[in-house]
Amino acid sequence: MSTAVEVDDLRFAHTGADLPALERVSFRVSAGESVALLGPSGAGKTTLLALLDGRLQGWSGRVSVLGAPLDPDLPPPSARRSDTGFVFQEFALVERSTVLRNVLNGRLGRMSPLRALMGSSTKHDLEIARTVLADCGISDLAERRVDSLSGGQRQRVAIARCLAQEPRLILADEPVSNLDPARAGEILALLAGAAQARGATALFSSHQPDLARRFAQRIIGMRAGRIAFDVPTSELNDDATAELYREVEPIPGIGLRAVS
Amino acid sequence: MAFRGFGGFATSGLIAAAILWSFATTDVELSRLMSAGPRIADFLGRMFPPDPTVMAEIKKGSAETLRIAILGTLGAVILSVPLGILASETMVSPAVFRSIRTLLAFIRAIPLILVAMLMVGAVGLGPLPGIIAVAFHATGMLAKFYAEAIDGVSRAPIAALESAGAGALVRLRYAIWPQMAPVVARDTIFRFELNLRESLILGIVGAGGIGFYIQTYVRSFQYDKAASVTIAVVVMVIAIEAINVALRRRFT
Ligand SMILES: Nc1ncnc2c1ncn2[C@@H]1O[C@H](COP(=O)(O)OP(=O)(O)O)[C@@H](O)[C@H]1O
Ligand SMILES: [Mg+2]
């Protein structure tokens, strides 16, 4: 099976931070796999996903995404960015624009800058937008402005925007942590299902072990910038999970309850 | 505390010195001020009653002032779009936005009436120097406002478009612009109001508009006509303010 993500001895520190956010991180994700990054707040999940998305520079080690190496010091070109889709924890939608406009924004990297600036979406772009809106169950919201939507609806729009990119790798950073538990399961099922239906690789982060377990084939545990374990979901053991969250008591109710 | 006390003392001393210096070095003859009383009364008397026959001139002058303000604002918007982008902390490198901001501060520091006088010298009498002067002067403020509007938007949707492969200008168009549009509308209307108000007097230096008539009538001793035009200007300023209050309510 071909490799979607390969990370070898990755290290990274944010500018101005005392401690590195990622240290000696190595793992591999096969094409089509669905993998969860599990870890408490501050473990380095957001940093790792943003880095794989080509939005962080100045790291060391080797990282290759969808068969091509990332440059530690240069952002990847537009076409490669389009191949990797990203779903943000806080949705990151343009609030004053319509749902359809936000979804079409996912197509911007696939067109020439000139055409993008002139605002001329092709039939093909609109066709894709219509399809992903239907897949995400929000066809009837297309003309609504995002600032009039609920959290669950917003994340559906964000997933639709990501799918509109036609990504081969989908990165999702705590995509449901801002939603209530009922919505959370629904939205993760949508995301995992859409990735599978497209044969796309999915790598999502979560601080909730139960959600990671339900939607991933494999779970990578992170703690303090390092990988603590990397196991198939069926082999995830409660002690290892509890160890991830040891001494992280200021944030109550994170997963500990779910495993104890 | 002691320092502040000393600071207060020094400030008072400085103000007193400035006033004494002004009196000592200016030709203010108090006797002339006394005898001026009857002359000022005579002058005011000649303004009354205001001559209502200049209605046509008032209309023509106001229309020209309005045109100067509209076209001057248009020019300022056209200049402020690129300069606003170049003055934004989040769009360009520090070297670029710092030099553009300095340039804009210099532009703001030159009074409109001075720019208008220079423009009359450069392109001759009429509304054209007024329009150019307003466009130039207003850009100093409007480009700064636009830059602040760009820098004030939420960053997350911009990162999302970057992630989708959109370049800087495309991100400006689809992630930044929709967020800043209401701010830009508000700032532009605010600047238009200032332009309209400030261009009322441009005619005094020959740069077109209603101010031209004030200057003409005062120079030819037709104070009753000058009074009418002055009343018209005051009415317009009040009207502009009222409209602005109404608009502000809509944009907040
Ligand atoms: N922009 C930043 N500047 C400095 N430090 C940061 C920044 N973003 C994250 N960090 C630090 O990097 C570490 C990892 O953070 P993050 O990747 O957000 O973890 P997670 O997503 O698992 O909660 C934390 O210690 C955090 O404080
Ligand atoms: Mg995070």
Side-chain angles (χ1 to χ4, degrees), chain B residues 37 45 117 151 204:
Chain B
M117 284 171 76
D151 293 340
I204 292 171

Side-chain angles (χ1 to χ4, degrees), chain A residues 35-87:
Chain A
V35 176
L37 287 174
L38 179 66
S41 178
K45 307 182 295 296
T46 299
T47 304
L48 177 57
L49 289 170
L51 195 150
L52 293 177
D53 196 33
R55 281 183 286 119
L56 291 178
Q57 277 72 45
W59 42 268
S60 70
R62 274 174 306 281
V63 175
S64 108
V65 172
L66 296 169
L70 283 185
D71 189 312
D73 302 306
L74 283 178
S78 173
R80 286 192 57 199
R81 295 203 149 154
S82 304
D83 284 338
T84 304
F86 205 96
V87 178

Side-chain angles (χ1 to χ4, degrees), chain B residues 14 35 41 107 124 136 169 173 176 188 191 200 204 217 222 242:
Chain B
L14 213 64
S35 65
I107 292 175
F136 177 81
L169 279 178
R173 164 89 160 77
I176 301 177
T188 307
R191 189 57 239 186
L200 288 168
I204 292 171
Y217 294 143
Q222 297 171 287

Side-chain angles (χ1 to χ4, degrees), chain A residues 12-22 37-50 56 89 173-174 205-207 222 224-225:
Chain A
F12 175 79
H14 287 281
T15 34
D18 312 333
L19 294 170
L22 299 172
L37 287 174
L38 179 66
S41 178
K45 307 182 295 296
T46 299
T47 304
L48 177 57
L49 289 170
L56 291 178
Q89 181 173 6
D173 186 21
E174 309 223 20
S205 68
S206 176
H207 60 247
M222 285 187 78

Side-chain angles (χ1 to χ4, degrees), chain B residues 147-169:
Chain B
E148 285 166 359
I150 292 175
D151 293 340
V153 304
S154 146
R155 311 305 304 164
I158 306 170
L161 260 66
E162 185 191 353
S163 168
L169 279 178

